[in-house]
Amino acid sequence: QKEVEQDPGPLSVPEGAIVSLNCTYSNSAFQYFMWYRQYSRKGPELLMYTYSSGNKEDGRFTAQVDKSSKYISLFIRDSQPSDSATYLCAMSAMYSGGGADGLTFGKGTHLIIQP
Amino acid sequence: DGGITQSPKYLFRKEGQNVTLSCEQNLNHDAMYWYRQDPGQGLRLIYYSQIVNDFQKGDIAEGYSVSREKKESFPLTVTSAQKNPTAFYLCASRSRGERDTQYFGPGTRLTVL
């Protein structure tokens, strides 16, 4: 079983729809959860950051973490064509400096918002 | 502007050649990372460095080498021992004093001819 599972898509939705992107994970030690957005041939940019369980909202974006189910979600409201990109989930067990402190990434979901 | 720069944006290499990818950051971050991204495989960690003059192998270090002589710079050399080097290479950095996450550069696309 992979540590982080993410459906690669593509996920195609009409403009204005609510988008739901998800990742599941197996390592119960993960405490820090991130979503990155990556446009084609560009570096990933940090979109959302959450610690432990709960929700976090930033504009049209809401990140949700359910540690009991080992499941995280990113919701995009009023989706726009400019939201078309690959969305990567990432997570980490240890705060900075603790051993092998690289992030564990999902493979990314390719999202297409149709005008 | 603070950020991470990578150069060149595109790089072409002949088989048997070593090439060096540049990564510079002016964010005053301590830790720096190199990832490789291939279609359908996500990001894979090559090397990382938490402080100057120290670095550790990631999951796929074979055929790569790095140095960390300055806090701002973390160059990656792709050697001729790397059998399948064509990929998108991403550099990232993170500060110990900030929230536990990483910030990425724009990437370098390496193609072996």
Side-chain angles (χ1 to χ4, degrees), chain A residues 26-76:
Chain A
S26 58
N27 187 348
S28 58
F30 286 143
Q31 299 184 72
Y32 301 87
F33 304 92
M34 288 131 267
W35 286 95
Y36 288 85
R37 177 175 62 195
Q38 185 177 23
Y39 293 112
S40 181
R41 297 188 178 87
K42 304 290 185 183
E45 58 177 308
L46 181 66
L47 203 56
M48 298 290 284
Y49 176 91
T50 53
Y51 169 68
S52 194
S53 287
N55 292 358
K56 183 174 183 179
E57 186 174 324
D58 184 1
R60 297 185 294 112
F61 300 90
T62 299
Q64 194 172 78
V65 174
D66 182 350
K67 290 188 71 179
S68 62
S69 301
K70 297 190 181 69
Y71 188 88
I72 69 171
S73 301
L74 177 70
F75 299 97
I76 307 175

Side-chain angles (χ1 to χ4, degrees), chain A residues 63-107:
Chain A
Q64 194 172 78
V65 174
D66 182 350
K67 290 188 71 179
S68 62
S69 301
K70 297 190 181 69
Y71 188 88
I72 69 171
S73 301
L74 177 70
F75 299 97
I76 307 175
R77 292 183 300 279
D78 187 24
S79 56
Q80 306 293 314
S82 58
D83 295 326
S84 298
T86 296
Y87 290 80
L88 299 159
C89 64
M91 43 201 82
S92 174
M94 308 175 106
Y95 193 67
S96 55
D101 56 357
L103 297 175
T104 301
F105 287 87
K107 292 186 177 181

